[in-house]
Amino acid sequence: AFMPEYWSYMMLRVITAIGAVGLFNESFTLTVELLGNKEIVPCLPFITQKSFHGNTIQIPYALGSALLGLTAYFIRDYVTLQWVLSVGTFIQVPLWFFIPESPRWLISKGKQEEAKKLITKIAKTNGKKLILDNVDLLA
């Protein structure tokens, strides 16, 4: 919205698009990794928690597309529209400090202790008891 001409605006839009794809991949991967394979959705006994949440994580994208059209209907100036839409993105930035790393990524980087702590925390959140004291995660 603050770019002086078309090409610089388009360049930043392409960079934003690249970041959006990475954001989707990250959230999808974390969701699928952190959910159990065998937990069944209570009201849908033929669907696991992993497949349910892996699919429902895409709902905000459809809602966002619908809200974009609705917002553009009421905000006719494209510069103001870009600013309004960018505010939603900046609100998400603090989440980077609260979302944990992927346990698989931690293990692949040799950070077993951090991965064990995170897996134990996830198990506790899910109401499961898990002891990883003498477990080698690389084996």
Side-chain angles (χ1 to χ4, degrees):
F2 58 88
M3 299 309 294
E5 36 87 24
Y6 177 76
W7 292 108
S8 59
Y9 171 76
M10 287 306 297
M11 183 179 66
L12 282 179
R13 292 305 297 165
V14 167
I15 292 170
T16 302
I18 292 168
V21 170
L23 182 64
F24 172 77
N25 286 337
E26 177 185 330
S27 61
F28 179 80
T29 302
L30 277 172
T31 300
V32 172
E33 278 185 2
L34 300 179
L35 292 171
N37 284 335
K38 298 175 184 165
E39 298 285 330
I40 300 294
V41 177
C43 60
L44 302 167
F46 51 90
I47 297 177
T48 64
Q49 290 283 353
K50 182 182 278 192
S51 62
F52 178 75
H53 291 290
N55 286 306
T56 57
I57 198 166
Q58 299 177 45
I59 292 172
Y61 293 97
L63 293 175
S65 295
L67 286 175
L68 171 62
L70 186 64
T71 306
Y73 180 78
F74 291 107
I75 302 173
R76 298 297 174 122
D77 178 42
Y78 78 95
V79 175
T80 306
L81 178 64
Q82 287 295 314
W83 278 109
V84 168
L85 296 175
S86 298
V87 167
T89 303
F90 291 122
I91 291 172
Q92 297 174 24
V93 171
L95 290 176
W96 289 339
F97 301 104
F98 298 105
I99 296 176
E101 292 290 348
S102 163
R104 289 184 186 187
W105 183 84
L106 289 171
I107 293 167
S108 72
K109 297 298 178 187
K111 300 179 179 184
Q112 285 197 36
E113 290 306 314
E114 288 181 52
K116 286 180 183 180
K117 288 177 186 176
L118 181 58
I119 292 169
T120 305
K121 180 180 176 183
I122 293 167
K124 185 178 178 183
T125 302
N126 290 330
K128 308 289 183 186
K129 186 172 183 173
L130 186 64
I131 300 171
L132 297 173
D133 292 338
N134 297 323
V135 176
D136 183 19
L137 297 177
L138 295 174

